[in-house]
Amino acid sequence: MSEDESPPLDLRPEPPCSSSSAVDSTPNKSRNCISSSTASQTFPDHVLENVLENVLQFLDSRCDRNAASLVCKLWWKVEALTRSEVFIGNCYALSPARLTQRFKRVKSLVLKGKPRFADFNLMPPDWGANFAPWVSTMAKAYPWLEKVDLKRIFVTDDDLALVAESFPGFKELILVCCEGFGTSGIAIVANKCRKLKVLDLIESEVTDDEVDWISCFPEDVTCLESLAFDCVEAPINFKALEGLVGRSPFLKKLRLNRFVSLEELHRLLLGAPQLTSLGTGSFSHDNEAHHQSEQEPDYAAAFLACKSVVCLSGFRELMPEYLPAIFPVCANLTSLNFSYANISPDMFKPIIHKCHKLQVFWALDSICDEGLQAVAATCKELRELRIFPFDPREDSEGPVSELGLQAISEGCRKLESILYFCQRMTNAAVIAMSENCPELTVFRLCIMGRHRPDHVTGKPMDEGFGAIVKNCKKLTRLAVSGLLTDQAFRYMGEYGKLIRTLSVAFAGDSDMALRHVLEGCPRLQKLEIRDSPFGDVALRSGMHRYYNMRFVWMSACSLSKGCCKDVARAMPNLVVEVIGSDDDDDNRDYVETLYMYRSLDGPRKDAPKFPLLREKAPCISDRSCSEVEQAWVCLQYQRRYSSLEPLRGGTGGVKAISNYGLVLEGMRRAKARGFSDVSH
Amino acid sequence: MEKVGVCDEFVNLKATELRLGLPGTEDVCQEEKEMVSCGKINKRALPETEKEIESTGKTETASPPKAQIIGWPPVRSFRKNSIQAKKNESEGQGMYVKVSMDGAPYLRKIDLTVYKQYPELMKSLENMFKFSVGEYFEREGYKGSDFVPTYEDKDGDWMLVGDVPWEMFVSSCKRLRIMKGSEVKGLGCGV
């Protein structure tokens, strides 16, 4: 919308507000203040709805769509009709019924379930996040559904069967960090989803049902563009795979699991030179085949033929002597994942020296500081770096240190995202990174030994992380480690204004640390804390924030059940789950794990049988559903605009441009009902 | 709050535990995977009360490692397991194969490289699953028992344990299955 255009009619929704006089005083001069009783029945509404539909369908960003939906009820309605992809960051924030009631034409669902700490065995295995209620509801409401993208969701074979049966136009199935299903479920999808373009199984646990799922794909030419099964820990029928690849002319991404040998990879490559993304499987010999063949296949030639490969991963059981086979594609690579390959610096350096275009690089720390220095020297376009520990124990030898980090910071100035596991670190190196890499949005440093200070100065790591939040002005995600006092958190609260995700473990001295963060970080959405001395005072200090956050996780902290109950009572739209403390413990009041999140539909009904604290505040039953929804909507609305510079007049906190007059209306109503500005 | 050491929680579950140690050794669950499989909510030692827990039955010359805190360092199990398997290979830590017995509810895992010959392996299996294997005859297979030890080799064929030389067996065995006598028809001493 251009700034000069003003909205043609007053589309104030019913009931007509007595605060219409407030509307008159908006800066928008061309507004017509007609009472809604006449407006809602006139013909222009109909036209406007069509016009809006034609315009709003082009809005992609969900932030924009959320904002548009809050303008007025008509915009809400039209936006709901035109939203085709829905993103749900917490599957328990609302019920499936609410989704299908609001959005009528959904083609794509992105759904996230368990919080990230569930990956590290900090949550009981049967906690929830089931796909079943979602798929059964959508099966009736969205027969045209095309895409499902799930993360940390429990998906069963039956769920997958229902997907395959219910959605004839189904195109994309992406399962990231999911579990609960096996190769039999995959087989059904492969067989029945005739329009399937994407089947991506990423870091998911897939049980081996001893089903030849590859053979279940239909015999004719497929629509497959992406097939990723590197996490499937089961042998596959290679002949069937070769046939499948041969009849998939649109296949661009293929990620093999470790049961595909080097020889088999070679054959596949010869048949699929159009691939852009390749997961190489085991990258080692099938022993029998090796002994039998007289001459070794020319692996390098196969890679040479793959001129389009820009993304390489796999190497699950790497035989390093065959690594030079990938030389021909190195110069084109933008993404390289060696994180399952135990490569030494000497084997690594010849490869990386050819990878000038690399933007994403994942590896094990076996490449050592020396390998990182080689990366720094060559990969000037690097945007994302992840270094995982070969030996993920607290007291292991760490082959990478501050030297590697320093080198990367000096060589890779465009770095945006880093995850770095190490055993030794210094504030100086972290400060250097904060100064050299201004584009950093994600900084995750994991010093594996708990409470480790700067190993040169012996001081806490406060100054290093302080420099990161201060100098990296675009930082949205931060994970801290090492010895940290409350000072580090003071820095976070003072400077970390854009932080959305914060991970804390074994850090801080007192409640003040958490208070700094809760009071100082207005954009905080996801907070995960473990084993830190934060208690009730800290928890209470964040109550003004919790409705504007996706979740808060606190485990092995110093919280009491009483305080959690108080929070639950005070905040009716917050679900407070207390997990883990058995009733026959010595200390009944101790909370082992607190997981709380906002929800429109109250506490979930599928919680497992361990002690679970759910408080539904009495007042919520007095309110009608739509009122709650409106209340929620108003809060969201406030969050969107509160961070802008306040101007004189208007409602405060909103850039008042004439065509946002309708937007101001909503804000005024919210304020009239007692909702205050959020989070500052 | 005083938290008991991790080991005490699992005393009662020893009979059904799955672990990667030598059979019959007195050791303590340390693997996170095993803790989770016991189905209980994980209790972990708080930093202040953690105790030194002995290493598992694997041969280790280093001093006992510190008690591993659950979920720390934060590396996903999938990644840990993939790398762990490789570490075992590179350190010559043995060849682990699954062992199942018809009628037994749980699978076990054993390290074939700790045995020198068939009799040792047989004895260990007998102890583990509480059965007796009878006597092996080259032509007729096992006699004197209802149970017959079989294995799946690299080609996917099911073979009688004892038919091939020990070294060949260790290098080709993918998993073991102790079959009930009635199912063994057809498993001759052929390769």
Side-chain angles (χ1 to χ4, degrees):
Chain A
M1 283 201 287
S2 81
E3 291 192 4
D4 297 334
E5 237 181 84
S6 37
L9 286 172
D10 177 9
L11 295 158
R12 210 179 328 145
E14 67 256 347
C17 300
S18 54
S19 53
S20 55
S21 51
V23 177
D24 291 340
S25 57
T26 66
N28 186 336
K29 293 176 193 120
S30 64
R31 289 188 60 203
N32 244 336
C33 300
I34 306 168
S35 77
S36 61
S37 52
T38 41
S40 59
Q41 280 138 35
T42 53
F43 134 92
D45 263 3
H46 212 46
V47 171
L48 190 64
E49 199 172 307
N50 285 337
V51 168
L52 265 178
E53 204 171 317
N54 282 313
V55 169
L56 290 185
Q57 65 177 329
F58 294 107
L59 273 186
D60 286 330
S61 138
R62 63 178 190 264
C63 285
D64 288 345
R65 282 192 159 269
N66 288 347
S69 71
L70 297 173
V71 169
C72 65
K73 271 214 170 131
L74 180 67
W75 280 54
W76 170 282
K77 181 181 162 197
V78 176
E79 192 283 312
L81 284 174
T82 56
R83 193 183 296 220
S84 61
E85 171 164 303
V86 175
F87 170 88
I88 297 174
N90 174 5
C91 63
Y92 287 122
L94 69 156
S95 66
R98 187 177 289 269
L99 167 72
T100 55
Q101 271 161 27
R102 178 173 170 183
F103 298 109
K104 298 296 187 191
R105 298 187 196 159
V106 173
K107 284 204 237 170
S108 160
L109 175 74
V110 180
L111 185 69
K112 295 192 178 182
K114 297 187 219 183
R116 200 178 68 97
F117 274 7
D119 290 350
F120 313 123
N121 299 333
L122 292 179
M123 229 174 190
D126 53 351
W127 176 81
N130 300 302
F131 188 44
W134 293 92
V135 65
S136 61
T137 305
M138 290 196 301
K140 299 178 201 120
Y142 306 139
W144 44 77
L145 194 71
E146 290 179 2
K147 174 178 166 186
V148 163
D149 180 338
L150 308 176
K151 187 165 186 180
R152 292 194 191 95
I153 298 274
F154 192 85
V155 185
T156 63
D157 291 327
D158 287 340
D159 297 335
L160 292 176
L162 195 54
V163 167
E165 281 161 27
S166 315
F167 310 120
F170 196 71
K171 292 187 182 152
E172 296 186 41
L173 180 66
I174 301 167
L175 301 175
V176 181
C177 300
C178 294
E179 55 176 347
F181 63 101
T183 45
S184 46
I186 299 302
I188 302 176
V189 171
N191 186 251
K192 297 214 171 135
C193 300
R194 298 278 155 151
K195 304 244 172 88
L196 198 66
K197 293 207 294 196
V198 173
L199 178 59
D200 281 354
L201 307 170
I202 298 168
E203 292 198 45
S204 292
E205 230 179 270
V206 184
T207 55
D208 179 6
D209 303 327
E210 296 184 11
V211 167
D212 181 3
W213 59 277
I214 299 271
S215 296
C216 292
F217 280 96
E219 286 297 320
D220 28 316
V221 170
T222 76
C223 313
L224 275 179
E225 294 175 14
S226 174
L227 178 63
F229 60 95
D230 40 353
C231 61
V232 176
E233 287 292 297
I236 49 129
N237 179 340
F238 177 70
K239 202 151 171 252
L241 178 63
E242 209 179 351
L244 177 65
V245 171
R247 61 181 191 278
S248 302
F250 307 107
L251 193 66
K252 289 279 193 282
K253 296 186 184 176
L254 179 64
R255 301 228 168 119
L256 308 167
N257 69 5
R258 65 180 179 87
F259 291 87
V260 179
S261 68
L262 201 47
E263 293 88 348
E264 290 168 340
L265 171 66
H266 178 255
R267 280 166 60 177
L268 282 176
L269 288 182
L270 293 177
Q274 80 282 9
L275 290 176
T276 58
S277 173
L278 176 66
T280 58
S282 66
F283 216 83
S284 75
H285 284 312
D286 180 13
N287 281 329
E288 284 240 4
H290 184 57
H291 288 131
Q292 282 165 11
S293 65
E294 288 162 3
Q295 202 185 355
E296 198 125 77
D298 189 351
Y299 299 121
F303 276 96
L304 187 62
C306 294
K307 295 194 188 309
S308 322
V309 165
V310 292
C311 176
L312 206 55
S313 61
F315 308 102
R316 298 293 302 278
E317 291 167 355
L318 173 70
M319 285 183 171
E321 57 270 31
Y322 290 99
L323 213 40
I326 70 168
F327 279 167
V329 296
C330 285
N332 297 331
L333 286 182
T334 54
S335 171
L336 177 59
N337 182 349
F338 271 156
S339 65
Y340 291 99
N342 182 17
I343 326 178
S344 67
D346 290 331
M347 280 165 184
F348 173 64
K349 289 198 294 192
I351 309 265
I352 202 68
H353 280 315
K354 295 183 187 289
C355 299
H356 298 272
K357 289 194 191 162
L358 212 57
Q359 293 185 22
V360 175
F361 179 57
W362 292 20
L364 288 178
D365 57 7
S366 57
I367 61 171
C368 303
D369 286 329
E370 201 184 326
L372 289 169
Q373 284 158 352
V375 172
T378 315
C379 306
K380 298 302 176 188
E381 298 299 315
L382 199 69
R383 304 287 197 272
E384 177 179 324
L385 176 70
R386 295 198 194 190
I387 302 296
F388 296 94
F390 174 68
D391 187 358
R393 291 180 300 126
E394 249 193 282
D395 42 359
S396 63
E397 275 294 310
V400 299
S401 69
E402 74 276 5
L403 296 173
L405 194 75
Q406 179 90 27
I408 293 288
S409 78
E410 287 165 7
C412 307
R413 298 299 178 106
K414 298 186 186 176
L415 198 67
E416 292 172 5
S417 170
I418 182 166
L419 168 64
Y420 197 85
F421 282 84
C422 61
Q423 291 286 20
R424 304 185 311 285
M425 189 47 60
T426 62
N427 282 306
V430 178
I431 293 171
M433 179 155 272
S434 78
E435 288 167 354
N436 294 334
C437 303
E439 302 299 316
L440 273 178
T441 54
V442 174
F443 185 79
R444 300 160 68 191
L445 177 63
C446 183
I447 303 168
M448 292 192 277
R450 289 170 287 142
H451 312 293
R452 289 233 176 120
D454 177 325
H455 82 99
V456 166
T457 64
K459 292 200 176 138
M461 292 299 299
D462 298 340
E463 295 308 309
F465 284 104
I468 290 287
V469 290
K470 190 171 172 191
N471 299 333
C472 301
K473 311 251 191 275
K474 302 184 182 180
L475 197 76
T476 54
R477 181 169 180 184
L478 181 65
V480 301
S481 60
L483 181 66
L484 292 170
T485 71
D486 287 353
Q487 178 59 39
F489 296 86
R490 191 170 292 125
Y491 286 136
M492 283 179 230
E494 193 177 337
Y495 298 109
K497 297 305 177 189
L498 296 183
I499 295 179
R500 286 174 40 100
T501 307
L502 180 64
S503 252
V504 176
F506 307 102
D509 297 325
S510 75
D511 283 339
M512 275 316 296
L514 183 53
R515 284 186 64 179
H516 288 309
V517 165
L518 289 170
E519 289 168 4
C521 300
R523 296 282 178 100
L524 195 60
Q525 291 288 296
K526 299 182 266 185
L527 180 60
E528 41 187 42
I529 302 175
R530 63 168 295 182
D531 295 273
S532 299
F534 308 143
D536 297 347
V537 171
L539 191 69
R540 282 185 223 276
S541 74
M543 285 177 43
H544 63 296
R545 292 283 303 128
Y546 299 138
Y547 278 159
N548 287 296
M549 292 174 70
R550 192 181 294 175
F551 71 81
V552 173
W553 168 290
M554 288 178 68
S555 58
C557 295
S558 312
L559 298 170
S560 73
K561 274 192 185 148
C563 178
C564 294
K565 279 195 181 141
D566 290 344
V567 171
R569 255 185 239 118
M571 306 190 72
N573 285 346
L574 201 68
V575 173
V576 177
E577 293 195 18
V578 169
I579 304 167
S581 328
D582 285 351
D583 274 344
D584 53 2
D585 258 359
D586 292 333
N587 187 352
R588 287 173 179 245
D589 207 29
Y590 175 71
V591 169
E592 182 159 324
T593 299
L594 166 72
Y595 179 51
M596 61 188 195
Y597 47 89
R598 63 191 174 193
S599 174
L600 288 173
D601 289 309
R604 58 197 180 102
K605 297 177 181 55
D606 63 351
K609 304 262 179 313
F610 50 76
L612 191 68
L613 177 74
R614 295 170 285 177
E615 285 280 335
K616 211 172 176 185
C619 54
I620 201 160
S621 57
D622 298 333
R623 299 197 205 171
S624 67
C625 188
S626 62
E627 223 179 300
V628 170
E629 195 169 349
Q630 281 206 345
W632 171 241
V633 153
C634 283
L635 283 168
Q636 235 187 5
Y637 182 95
Q638 299 271 355
R639 175 169 57 89
R640 162 106 171 123
Y641 287 100
S642 63
S643 56
L644 300 174
E645 288 292 308
L647 296 179
R648 298 226 182 91
T651 58
V654 174
K655 254 190 193 146
I657 312 170
S658 60
N659 63 324
Y660 281 164
L662 293 170
V663 152
L664 283 176
E665 165 61 39
M667 272 209 111
R668 281 212 164 71
R669 274 192 289 123
K671 284 214 135 136
R673 293 163 73 162
F675 291 104
S676 60
D677 278 313
V678 170
S679 83
H680 289 306
Chain B
M1 172 188 170
E2 194 51 36
K3 282 269 192 181
V4 288
V6 163
C7 43
D8 297 3
E9 296 297 323
F10 297 95
V11 161
N12 297 331
L13 300 170
K14 246 189 175 2
T16 57
E17 71 177 277
L18 302 174
R19 52 188 167 81
L20 296 179
L22 280 176
T25 47
E26 181 69 53
D27 71 3
V28 168
C29 287
Q30 198 173 322
E31 291 287 323
E32 289 163 26
K33 246 171 79 166
E34 287 150 334
M35 286 179 207
V36 174
S37 74
C38 293
K40 270 191 90 158
I41 293 151
N42 296 310
K43 286 205 185 281
R44 57 192 178 279
L46 286 181
E48 312 88 62
T49 59
E50 74 188 7
K51 296 179 186 164
E52 300 287 316
I53 297 182
E54 283 199 19
S55 60
T56 63
K58 293 184 212 164
T59 39
E60 271 185 347
T61 48
S63 56
K66 274 173 80 176
Q68 299 295 316
I69 299 289
I70 289 187
W72 189 262
V75 176
R76 289 202 187 117
S77 326
F78 181 77
R79 194 172 280 284
K80 257 189 192 160
N81 295 341
S82 307
I83 297 170
Q84 189 62 39
K86 278 204 294 269
K87 268 179 67 188
N88 287 344
E89 283 162 31
S90 63
E91 287 166 22
Q93 285 263 345
M95 235 202 92
Y96 286 90
V97 295
K98 286 187 193 173
V99 187
S100 62
M101 180 160 105
D102 292 352
Y106 301 103
L107 290 183
R108 305 301 296 270
K109 236 180 180 167
I110 57 168
D111 178 359
L112 288 180
T113 60
V114 301
Y115 307 107
K116 305 279 187 309
Q117 272 297 330
Y118 283 115
E120 276 181 46
L121 171 64
M122 288 303 128
K123 196 130 194 284
S124 164
L125 288 176
E126 282 174 326
N127 281 337
M128 202 186 290
F129 287 99
K130 307 284 181 276
F131 75 106
S132 84
V133 85
E135 225 182 296
Y136 174 72
F137 292 93
E138 211 175 286
R139 293 272 161 87
E140 291 115 26
Y142 286 85
K143 283 201 161 157
S145 157
D146 238 9
F147 292 98
V148 178
T150 64
Y151 72 99
E152 187 183 1
D153 72 1
K154 283 213 154 87
D155 297 324
D157 299 322
W158 284 94
M159 314 269 288
L160 207 60
V161 171
D163 280 352
V164 302
W166 174 255
E167 287 75 23
M168 195 188 293
F169 165 70
V170 173
S171 64
S172 64
C173 171
K174 274 169 48 182
R175 59 173 149 158
L176 283 158
R177 180 179 156 200
I178 301 167
M179 289 191 189
K180 262 222 155 104
S182 48
E183 293 199 27
V184 183
K185 285 183 210 161
L187 264 188
C189 46
V191 180

